[in-house]
């Protein structure tokens, strides 16, 4: 079992909501203005850690395994806001679930590893 010391997530008290078209997580416009086609959005787990999408190999140490329960979140790597995909798919709204610190390790390294695997 891998151990990582990720910073505790920051729970949002005043609900911020991103723009989303329909019930499609790929259409999120983050509160900061980032989109899939701008700086990109990343699938993450319930801690906001980018998940490994590879099917035939184990996840790199910096990334989280695909959630066993299938519950995915969307991480904005520009500002650290995290959105719960099931809420978006069910309600068509995209409230910010929580925030993570994307500027410092180990989260910053997890994001770098994600992008390096995606190219």
């Amino acid at each position: 079992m891998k151990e990582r010391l990720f910073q505790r997530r920051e729970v949002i008290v005043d609900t911020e909501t991103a723009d989303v078209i329909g019930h499609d997580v790929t259409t999120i416009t983050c509160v900061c203005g980032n989109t899939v086609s701008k700086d990109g959005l990343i699938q993450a787990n319930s801690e906001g850690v980018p998940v490994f999408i590879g099917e035939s190999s184990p996840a790199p140490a910096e990334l989280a395994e695909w959630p066993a329960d299938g519950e995915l979140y969307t991480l904005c790597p520009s500002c650290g806001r995290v959105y719960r995909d099931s809420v978006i798919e069910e309600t068509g709204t995209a409230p910010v679930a929580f925030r993570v610190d994307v500027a410092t390790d180990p989260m910053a390294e997890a994001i770098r590893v994600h992008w390096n695997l995606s190219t």
Side-chain angles (χ1 to χ4, degrees):
M1 184 169 123
K2 296 186 285 186
E3 282 192 45
R4 288 184 297 274
L5 299 175
F6 285 93
Q7 298 86 359
R8 297 186 61 77
R9 62 188 189 184
E10 174 187 341
V11 177
I12 304 299
V13 177
D14 295 325
T15 304
E16 297 178 297
T17 304
D19 291 330
V20 64
I21 299 170
H23 297 251
D24 185 354
V25 298
T26 65
T27 67
I28 295 172
T29 299
C30 183
V31 173
C32 75
N34 185 28
T35 64
V36 168
S37 61
K38 188 175 179 187
D39 292 331
L41 298 171
I42 300 173
Q43 287 183 309
N45 68 6
S46 62
E47 296 175 359
V49 180
V51 296
F52 181 61
I53 301 173
E55 296 175 11
S56 60
S57 59
E62 298 83 2
L63 303 181
E65 297 284 343
W66 193 267
D69 63 3
E71 186 69 37
L72 291 172
Y73 290 72
T74 296
L75 165 66
C76 177
S78 297
C79 68
R81 287 177 175 88
V82 180
Y83 304 90
R84 189 172 184 177
D85 289 10
S86 62
V87 171
I88 296 165
E89 292 164 353
E90 291 170 15
T91 68
T93 63
V96 176
F98 58 91
R99 289 180 82 165
V100 296
D101 182 356
V102 296
T104 59
D105 286 335
M107 187 62 72
E109 182 61 19
I111 291 168
R112 280 190 290 276
V113 168
H114 168 81
W115 290 132
N116 286 340
L117 289 174
S118 298
T119 57

